[in-house]
Amino acid sequence: MSRKNQISKHFGKSVLIAFSLTAVYAIIAPVLIKGMYAEFFHFSVAVGLFLGSIIFYFIFIFFRSIQKLPWLFGGIAVYISIVVIANTDVDIYFRNLFNNSHLPQQYSEYQDLKQPVLQFNNKEMKLVIDGSTDLDHYLTTKNHLIVVEVKHERTGTEALQQKEYSKFDSLGNFMAKYKPTNSNEILFEGYLINVDENYYRTWPLDGDTSKINIETQNADFSFDANKQADFIANFEERATFLFSKQCWTADQPSKKFIKTIFRENDKWITFYNDTKANRTIKSRGTVYNDLFRYYSTEDYKLVPYDNENIQYQYFQEISLKRSDSGTENWDGYLYTNVIVNKDTLKIKEALKLGVEWEINQSKIKDKVVGGLSKKSQGEYSRYFFYSNPKLQYQLFTNHLSKLYFIKNK
């Protein structure tokens, strides 16, 4: 038989085999896979199967002609093994099998942070507030700590956001709790101020929950540009505290204006500025109630204070995991020292450690180790510590929605 006839014969066989396989797929596939774009998917697979079968047939004939079929099937076996390993994380299994995660002896006495109370030599650390959103905290002139927790409550089908205020004395003892009916009050320099309704309360300072009206100026927008500018210049010079908020009038069409609330001669006053006087009014006072962070005018966000009391020591890599996206993370424990005066609080927390180039890079003993994240929450917050010589306790948190108190035993 001539070479041309042989090629024609084999080509006919390959087409017949390819057609048979494609026909079987066309019958079975629509039953197994349904949904949007399923027809396009099946068509693409059928074309690939048809052409691939023809190509494979000739490859098979070639290896059979040179009596090297074991090479062909060996190569196929290797390829299938690689695909199986890549998709079943067999490599992860063996890397975990030979992982030496033995904990160094110096970290064996570290206590798990998930415990509600941790006992140390001269100190104890207790979880006091475990919220769902970031907490606000403010220290009054009487050295009373005010903690603001936002809680989400449901009444029927309506979801409500409520604020709850807790007060602690200078020894860290709980004093009182206050839950106003109106959650629009904001904590500013120890006062609870409702900007929309022009009233304030003094509960953080003296425990009084009574509403006190705030005097208003230019509420009818009768001041001209010059009078507004003079009024602003006057209170900017004399006010003890002040802050501004952008508001809108209730009438239609609504109009934007600026409300500035300031304290002068022990009296709160609200000034309505319809921006005839185009002035930027700089706040004066504690706008952000956060003892762990400060507002950076360079980064335009809250930035943690540098703190040498938190010393990350070691991360124990226990189990390697790979996500569906291919990202690898180590499940393990972060070991940390919290320095409180002459005492060292040794704690550990279950975390995940990712790759070094992740955006939430972390350092352990000044070495970048990768990105840390919570096992359950999927996010990581650095540790925070706060101390004040006027307080007989210290604050710690591993997440801004929580607050731990550290006290002497």
Side-chain angles (χ1 to χ4, degrees):
M1 184 181 294
S2 66
R3 181 174 180 82
K4 183 177 180 180
N5 289 337
Q6 286 183 341
I7 293 175
S8 298
K9 179 181 178 182
H10 286 306
F11 181 75
K13 283 185 178 181
S14 67
V15 171
L16 179 62
I17 293 173
F19 179 80
S20 300
L21 293 174
T22 304
V24 172
Y25 174 80
I27 295 171
I28 297 175
V31 179
L32 300 177
I33 303 176
K34 298 178 181 179
M36 186 179 296
Y37 306 117
E39 293 180 358
F40 176 77
F41 174 79
H42 293 321
F43 175 78
S44 301
V45 173
V47 172
L49 180 62
F50 183 82
L51 297 176
S53 298
I54 294 175
I55 294 172
F56 179 79
Y57 178 85
F58 281 98
I59 293 174
F60 176 82
I61 293 299
F62 170 75
F63 275 91
R64 188 177 66 177
S65 67
I66 62 173
Q67 298 182 349
K68 297 295 185 181
L69 282 178
W71 287 15
L72 173 63
F73 293 117
I76 294 173
V78 171
Y79 174 76
I80 293 175
S81 299
I82 293 174
V83 172
V84 170
I85 290 174
N87 288 276
T88 58
D89 294 337
V90 174
D91 60 323
I92 298 293
Y93 170 79
F94 283 104
R95 289 165 68 182
N96 280 323
L97 184 64
F98 295 103
N99 172 44
N100 182 15
S101 61
H102 177 70
L103 183 67
Q105 181 63 31
Q106 64 263 36
Y107 301 112
S108 60
E109 296 181 357
Y110 281 61
Q111 299 183 48
D112 200 320
L113 194 56
K114 68 181 180 180
Q115 300 175 105
V117 180
L118 285 78
Q119 302 286 347
F120 301 94
N121 289 336
N122 302 310
K123 305 283 185 181
E124 70 172 19
M125 184 162 70
K126 181 178 181 181
L127 178 62
V128 177
I129 297 179
D130 187 4
S132 57
T133 59
D134 290 356
L135 304 173
D136 288 344
H137 10 74
Y138 174 80
L139 195 63
T140 71
T141 54
K142 294 181 179 180
N143 299 319
H144 293 163
L145 176 66
I146 308 299
V147 182
V148 187
E149 181 181 0
V150 177
K151 294 189 174 183
H152 299 277
E153 300 178 354
R154 182 170 293 278
T155 304
T157 58
E158 185 179 5
L160 300 177
Q161 180 176 288
Q162 296 289 335
K163 290 181 180 179
E164 187 171 279
Y165 299 85
S166 300
K167 184 187 296 187
F168 302 87
D169 65 16
S170 61
L171 299 176
N173 299 318
F174 174 77
M175 296 179 63
K177 192 180 292 289
Y178 175 54
K179 188 175 181 180
T181 56
N182 192 331
S183 63
N184 291 328
E185 298 174 356
I186 62 173
L187 177 62
F188 180 68
E189 289 297 343
Y191 298 87
L192 300 179
I193 300 176
N194 189 306
V195 178
D196 297 327
E197 300 182 24
N198 294 318
Y199 72 80
Y200 69 93
R201 308 178 199 263
T202 58
W203 180 85
L205 301 175
D206 57 18
D208 189 354
T209 60
S210 302
K211 289 184 181 180
I212 304 173
N213 292 327
I214 298 177
E215 177 185 317
T216 60
Q217 292 287 344
N218 196 33
D220 58 357
F221 303 109
S222 60
F223 290 11
D224 60 21
N226 290 332
K227 190 172 182 179
Q228 286 195 44
D230 292 341
F231 194 91
I232 293 172
N234 184 43
F235 71 66
E236 276 189 313
E237 180 182 353
R238 300 184 180 183
T240 308
F241 307 118
L242 64 89
F243 71 95
S244 300
K245 180 183 178 183
Q246 181 176 290
C247 303
W248 296 84
T249 58
D251 55 348
Q252 295 296 330
S254 60
K255 182 174 63 174
K256 183 176 72 173
F257 66 98
I258 305 296
K259 261 189 179 184
T260 300
I261 296 89
F262 63 94
R263 188 168 178 80
E264 182 181 344
N265 297 326
D266 295 330
K267 182 170 65 175
W268 285 104
I269 302 172
T270 297
F271 175 65
Y272 288 68
N273 176 11
D274 61 2
T275 66
K276 290 190 184 104
N278 190 14
R279 291 277 303 276
T280 300
I281 303 174
K282 187 177 181 180
S283 298
R284 186 177 302 157
T286 305
V287 178
Y288 297 96
N289 297 300
D290 196 318
L291 297 178
F292 299 122
R293 301 176 296 172
Y294 68 95
Y295 184 80
S296 170
T297 55
E298 296 179 357
D299 300 322
Y300 299 103
K301 64 179 182 180
L302 289 170
V303 176
Y305 289 107
D306 291 332
N307 204 311
E308 297 180 354
N309 297 78
I310 304 295
Q311 299 177 359
Y312 303 109
Q313 296 296 304
Y314 179 71
F315 186 86
Q316 182 189 17
E317 298 175 346
I318 295 178
S319 176
L320 184 63
K321 302 289 180 63
R322 179 183 290 139
S323 66
D324 294 337
S325 63
T327 303
E328 294 181 1
N329 294 286
W330 281 99
D331 283 353
Y333 281 91
L334 175 65
Y335 293 79
T336 306
N337 290 345
V338 181
I339 309 301
V340 185
N341 300 324
K342 297 182 180 181
D343 293 305
T344 301
L345 283 60
K346 299 180 178 181
I347 59 175
K348 66 177 182 178
E349 183 181 15
L351 294 173
K352 293 193 298 184
L353 179 66
V355 291
E356 291 186 10
W357 50 260
E358 287 186 349
I359 192 170
N360 56 338
Q361 286 185 348
S362 303
K363 288 185 177 181
I364 296 179
K365 293 185 176 179
D366 296 326
K367 179 183 177 182
V368 176
V369 296
L372 289 167
S373 60
K374 302 285 186 183
K375 281 188 175 183
S376 57
Q377 297 169 311
E379 60 183 83
Y380 169 70
S381 170
R382 62 179 293 175
Y383 293 170
F384 296 93
F385 178 87
Y386 175 81
S387 64
N388 189 312
K390 296 180 180 179
L391 301 179
Q392 299 301 310
Y393 63 98
Q394 296 79 31
L395 302 177
F396 169 86
T397 187
N398 64 330
H399 196 279
L400 292 170
S401 64
K402 298 181 178 182
L403 195 61
Y404 291 81
F405 281 19
I406 302 173
K407 295 183 179 182
N408 295 325
K409 287 185 178 179

